[in-house]
Amino acid sequence: MANASPAVRPAVLSDLIPGSRVRDVALVAGGAVLTGLAAQLTVPMWPVPVTGQTFAVMLVGAALGMNRAALSMILYTVVGVAGVPWFQGGTSGFGGATFGYVVGFIAAAALVGKLAERGGDRTAARTVGTMVLGNLVVYAFGLPVLMAVTGLGLSAALAAGVIPFLVGDAAKIAIAAGLLPAAWRLSRR
């Protein structure tokens, strides 16, 4: 076996699952479905509700890697725009005050996925840094759209679309910082 090579270290957790194209399609679709289900975990607030979406987006990013995670969030967005009611609170369609956050999920999942491919989910400290950056990307996309749709100024938009979510995001990041490194430790057994 001249072409045999030592076992390749998986870049992300989903690389531990055997398969290729069929596996990738299932993972991309599964990530979109997970995000859609997490979107139904909603605490109503105006103009932006608290949901489980960002947690799902970050986990999908870390587990699938950059390309599959981005495709998963593109699928989530396109299917939701097409009418499947799996955006927050069973909504669908294009636009609205929260649509910038949904678009931000694509970039955030790609960034978190790329960082995970480089080991950004192997330790608690790295996972925290990876997830913080991912959340900042979501806010960077969401805040301008929130301001444009609602007419809120920057300070009012921060008060409505960022600050109320910081404690929840910190809790989600803490959970991810426990789960992802633990999953890697279990995978080595």
Side-chain angles (χ1 to χ4, degrees):
M1 293 198 137
N3 293 332
S5 62
V8 176
R9 182 176 175 204
V12 292
L13 287 167
S14 62
D15 290 342
L16 297 169
I17 301 169
S20 59
R21 296 261 185 220
V22 172
R23 173 203 61 186
D24 290 344
V25 169
L27 290 169
V28 166
V33 169
L34 174 67
T35 306
L37 291 172
Q40 305 320 304
L41 303 172
T42 302
V43 177
M45 291 175 48
W46 185 90
V48 181
V50 174
T51 71
Q53 284 169 296
T54 54
F55 185 64
V57 169
M58 301 306 149
L59 287 181
V60 167
L64 300 187
M66 182 178 79
N67 293 332
R68 289 180 294 211
L71 286 172
S72 186
M73 292 306 110
I74 290 169
L75 177 64
Y76 171 71
T77 303
V78 168
V79 171
V81 166
V84 171
W86 66 358
F87 291 159
Q88 59 85 21
T91 61
S92 64
F94 178 80
T98 62
F99 195 71
Y101 296 96
V102 174
V103 173
F105 295 164
I106 299 166
L111 174 65
V112 168
K114 186 62 174 176
L115 293 173
E117 289 171 1
R118 295 179 176 197
D121 63 342
R122 301 305 199 290
T123 67
R126 285 183 184 170
T127 302
V128 167
T130 296
M131 299 299 160
V132 166
L133 290 173
N135 275 278
L136 289 173
V137 168
V138 171
Y139 289 133
F141 278 80
L143 201 61
V145 173
L146 176 65
M147 292 169 64
V149 170
T150 63
L152 295 172
L154 179 59
S155 62
L158 286 168
V162 175
I163 294 169
F165 304 96
L166 295 178
V167 171
D169 286 343
K172 294 172 195 176
I173 289 168
I175 292 167
L179 287 176
L180 292 168
W184 277 109
R185 283 191 299 276
L186 285 172
S187 76
R188 288 191 288 268
R189 289 185 179 178

